[in-house]
Amino acid sequence: MMLFSLGGGLSSCSDSYLEEVNTDDSKAESIDPNAQLTTALLQTYGDFSLMDTYRSYITGFTQYYAGGWNVSNYAGAVYPKDSEMALTWNRYYQIGIKNLVDAIHRSENKPNTNAALRIHRAYMMALLSDIYGDIPCTEAGMSFINGNSTPKYDTQEEVYDFIFSELKACAAQLGTGTDVISGDVTSLGSKPEAWKRYANTLRLRYAMRISDVAPERARTEFESALNADGGIISSADEDAYIKYNDAPFTLYDGATDLDFRANALGEMIYGQDPESPSFVCSTLYDYMKKMHDPRLYRIARCYIHTTRSQTDTSGNFDVTDEVLAWGERGGDGIVPCNVGDAWWSDWVSGPANSDIPTLDSLVTLYPDKGYDKNNYPARMIRPTIAVAFCNADCPGILITSAEVEFLLAEAASKGWNVPGDVESHYEAGIRASMQVLNNYYDIVSKISDEEIEQYIAENPVGDNPRESINTQAWILHLTNPSEGWANLRRSDYPAIADRTLLPVRGDFPHEDPNLQTPVRLRYPLLEAKYNSVNYEKAVERLGGTDDWHTRVWWDVNEQNFMDINKFSESINQ
């Protein structure tokens, strides 16, 4: 009996001891919903593990970038690879959506925080639905709450119904509590009134998104949001964006540790080695060149990348002016890549070392560094995205006053009840777009008021407002590529390069007989295994095949295409 008692005592002491030594007093037993809001917000642009979907497909389908291996191997080759297409779905659902839904469920006593969480969930659901179509929405992220691990796929129309309802309800809820939105890492500054304004402004975007498929509903939602309590974003100091830190690039290792402090989209387009920067597509380059856009050489730059840093954007030698000068002397000058091109084998004639003084100096000073080897001088004349857009602390754009002005301009062109006319909003949108670069990115020089006014004078709204407005929106959304792709498909402007008229490279995979630019991404293959019933219903609504050439619900009309070679020739004559 004594032995038993002693044994029992030892067992109790042992259990108590093990519990004590295995309890980390620095860790909370439950997660603060505000901490989960921080995680979900930062993941939006800060998760390097999902950015391959952007680099491989979204930035290619928008024809912002072309010529690098990833964008040309996947988007350029019209090659569907599940492991690349599924990243945004898997990571956003597994981390962002799961945290948001859990935090929403546990924050009913924090009205302001709860509303902010729900607003960001609405934003993320729109982003995912715009990429894939019908998606799990109203039942998503509920497995830890009610055990449902096989959520239904809401139709995209139902997703948008949910978004409008949530944004309106959240705007009304904000300011009804005294809790602080302490997990806010955006420019909204934890202020309920700023989040209310942001929610109203998102309603404008999503109302315009459905304007072709449900025009009366779109008009009603747009005008309601425009007149809602709290107002809308109307100036640059009210822009909504996520704030990131000037932290070293951590690439996939950082994402594994859920380290989302740096802007991972910037990291991704910077590239993981000196041979993989993001080259500006000829479509974007030539449109801007044709319109004499003062942003062109603030966005597209030529660099010698050979010995650049891989933890930040240092070590790039900018030779843009030297390459332009070489072109003026009779050389090829700057030569952007077409969709599907590869910088390393779609040959251009690189300059002699002596034609580019910086290159000549580097080769002389450091002959063993290889600055003029492996066709690098030819790569040097391919324009890449300026490193100003790749810095770790670049903002993660949510919605800006520039976008609002373009939305108001298009609404006015449709005859909707908005203050002001098409021209005034269009011109205000251009001015605000230029200031986005001046305010948020360390571009080589600020765009002057004189440059802006000259550009507006040369590019009036014209007799096709839908085209002119949405061409400007397309340029604006370069740093928000998911919105750029969504609005491009919705508006069908600008006309982009017809992929079917361009060569098919033999060294890239090719399995899709339809080489036209896809209009959605396919669902992850694992959905067919683990959520088969709901997946099959969604695929049936697509016509029985998970076809990435099948347009989503709000995408009513065919995209406008053009012959990029003829377009390029017309502006270079």
Side-chain angles (χ1 to χ4, degrees):
M1 183 71 176
M2 185 177 292
L3 286 173
F4 178 80
S5 299
L6 180 61
L10 287 172
S11 176
S12 297
C13 290
S14 177
D15 288 345
S16 175
Y17 171 75
L18 287 173
E19 180 178 354
E20 181 178 343
V21 299
N22 286 290
T23 299
D24 186 347
D25 292 333
S26 69
K27 301 292 191 298
E29 292 185 3
S30 62
I31 304 174
D32 183 346
N34 270 292
Q36 292 173 288
L37 175 63
T38 299
T39 296
L41 285 168
L42 289 177
Q43 191 204 12
T44 311
Y45 283 90
D47 187 348
F48 193 85
S49 285
L50 64 81
M51 288 300 161
D52 270 312
T53 302
Y54 282 82
R55 177 171 61 174
S56 297
Y57 292 110
I58 295 174
T59 61
F61 291 161
T62 49
Q63 299 188 9
Y64 290 143
Y65 303 120
W69 186 86
N70 294 78
V71 71
S72 291
N73 185 73
Y74 297 110
V78 195
Y79 171 49
K81 187 174 182 180
D82 176 70
S83 61
E84 296 290 307
M85 288 187 290
L87 293 169
T88 45
W89 177 290
N90 291 340
R91 294 289 289 186
Y92 281 143
Y93 274 118
Q94 291 169 4
I95 300 171
I97 299 299
K98 183 167 70 175
N99 272 281
L100 288 167
V101 172
D102 180 67
I104 289 166
H105 183 68
R106 295 185 300 101
S107 61
E108 292 180 354
N109 62 336
K110 299 179 178 181
N112 296 325
T113 300
N114 178 268
L117 288 159
R118 289 162 60 195
I119 290 168
H120 195 57
R121 177 176 60 173
Y123 178 95
M124 295 306 302
M125 289 302 178
L127 186 153
L128 286 164
S129 181
D130 291 345
I131 292 173
Y132 297 98
D134 297 354
I135 59 165
C137 176
T138 55
E139 295 182 358
M142 300 290 287
S143 59
F144 287 115
I145 296 170
N146 62 14
N148 181 6
S149 59
T150 56
K152 70 174 182 178
Y153 283 52
D154 296 277
T155 68
Q156 189 170 65
E157 183 175 8
E158 291 169 340
V159 172
Y160 269 75
D161 287 343
F162 172 81
I163 290 168
F164 288 126
S165 176
E166 279 289 273
L167 292 176
K168 282 183 276 191
C170 290
Q173 181 174 304
L174 283 159
T176 62
T178 59
D179 63 297
V180 177
I181 311 172
S182 59
D184 185 7
V185 286
T186 73
S187 58
L188 303 176
S190 303
K191 300 173 183 176
E193 63 271 22
W195 277 88
K196 183 190 292 279
R197 187 167 55 232
Y198 170 52
N200 292 338
T201 307
L202 287 177
R203 288 171 61 193
L204 299 181
R205 172 191 284 173
Y206 301 135
M208 188 60 70
R209 187 87 84 240
I210 67 170
S211 59
D212 287 340
V213 70
E216 289 307 314
R217 170 80 186 277
R219 176 174 183 163
T220 299
E221 292 287 353
F222 195 98
E223 293 176 358
S224 173
L226 194 59
N227 295 293
D229 177 57
I232 61 170
I233 290 171
S234 58
S235 61
D237 60 358
E238 295 174 346
D239 287 349
Y241 55 86
I242 300 164
K243 296 180 178 181
Y244 290 96
N245 293 339
D246 186 13
F249 293 166
T250 55
L251 309 179
Y252 295 107
D253 289 341
T256 299
D257 295 335
L258 305 187
D259 182 354
F260 303 147
R261 293 172 299 162
N263 186 319
L265 176 62
E267 288 184 67
M268 185 62 79
I269 62 175
Y270 181 68
Q272 293 155 259
D273 58 65
E275 294 189 9
S276 63
S278 292
F279 297 90
V280 173
C281 182
S282 59
T283 308
L284 176 62
Y285 185 93
D286 287 345
Y287 266 113
M288 298 184 78
K289 185 176 181 180
K290 178 183 180 182
M291 295 187 290
H292 302 138
D293 196 318
R295 292 168 290 189
L296 175 57
Y297 295 120
R298 272 94 171 185
I299 289 173
R301 305 294 293 177
C302 293
Y303 297 104
I304 299 171
H305 306 275
T306 315
T307 55
R308 70 179 189 175
S309 170
Q310 288 309 114
T311 59
D312 57 36
T313 58
S314 64
N316 295 276
F317 297 95
D318 192 326
V319 292
T320 309
D321 293 341
E322 295 171 47
V323 174
L324 287 169
W326 169 63
E328 292 171 358
R329 296 194 302 269
D332 287 348
I334 295 178
V335 184
C337 293
N338 283 342
V339 174
D341 280 356
W343 74 262
W344 61 89
S345 61
D346 289 282
W347 297 110
V348 290
S349 298
N353 291 359
S354 58
D355 289 321
I356 309 296
T358 298
L359 175 62
D360 201 31
S361 176
L362 287 170
V363 171
T364 300
L365 290 171
Y366 309 104
D368 297 330
K369 296 291 187 181
Y371 288 110
D372 59 348
K373 306 299 182 184
N374 301 321
N375 201 32
Y376 288 166
R379 181 182 69 186
M380 176 186 65
I381 69 174
R382 301 288 200 182
T384 62
I385 185 69
V387 295
F389 298 91
C390 305
N391 290 321
D393 59 353
C394 283
I397 300 296
L398 296 171
I399 193 165
T400 64
S401 61
E403 180 181 346
V404 171
E405 292 292 350
F406 291 137
L407 291 169
L408 290 169
E410 188 166 0
S413 75
K414 294 176 179 293
W416 295 358
N417 186 19
V418 300
D421 56 28
V422 178
E423 290 79 7
S424 62
H425 287 301
Y426 169 77
E427 293 177 5
I430 291 175
R431 293 187 185 96
S433 295
M434 301 285 181
Q435 295 306 328
V436 166
L437 267 63
N438 283 345
N439 293 339
Y440 303 139
Y441 303 97
D442 188 22
I443 53 179
V444 292
S445 63
K446 300 297 183 183
I447 306 169
S448 68
D449 291 343
E450 292 75 16
E451 289 177 289
I452 296 171
E453 295 310 313
Q454 178 65 28
Y455 179 72
I456 291 172
E458 293 183 13
N459 296 279
V461 69
D463 57 5
N464 187 349
R466 185 176 177 118
E467 178 178 18
S468 53
I469 293 165
N470 287 292
T471 297
Q472 293 299 326
W474 173 68
I475 298 170
L476 168 67
H477 292 315
L478 172 67
T479 57
N480 185 359
S482 59
E483 181 57 29
W485 190 33
N487 194 62
L488 175 66
R489 288 173 289 150
R490 191 275 306 174
S491 69
D492 307 305
Y493 286 108
I496 57 175
D498 187 336
R499 179 65 185 88
T500 67
L501 301 178
L502 295 168
V504 178
R505 294 176 52 84
D507 56 343
F508 284 153
H510 176 58
E511 65 178 48
D512 189 340
N514 182 356
L515 278 179
Q516 200 50 274
T517 301
V519 290
R520 57 177 290 273
L521 294 186
R522 294 179 181 176
Y523 296 123
L525 291 177
L526 287 178
E527 284 292 295
K529 180 178 181 180
Y530 293 109
N531 194 8
S532 59
V533 172
N534 294 306
Y535 163 83
E536 288 168 5
K537 289 179 181 177
V539 170
E540 188 62 31
R541 291 194 292 266
L542 285 168
T545 305
D546 189 5
D547 186 354
W548 64 347
H549 295 287
T550 299
R551 297 193 299 273
V552 298
W553 167 71
W554 49 250
D555 185 4
V556 172
N557 301 307
E558 292 281 356
Q559 174 67 45
N560 290 298
F561 295 103
M562 50 88 169
D563 185 326
I564 187 62
N565 289 320
K566 290 182 178 178
F567 183 68
S568 299
E569 290 170 4
S570 71
I571 65 174
N572 289 317
Q573 290 175 347

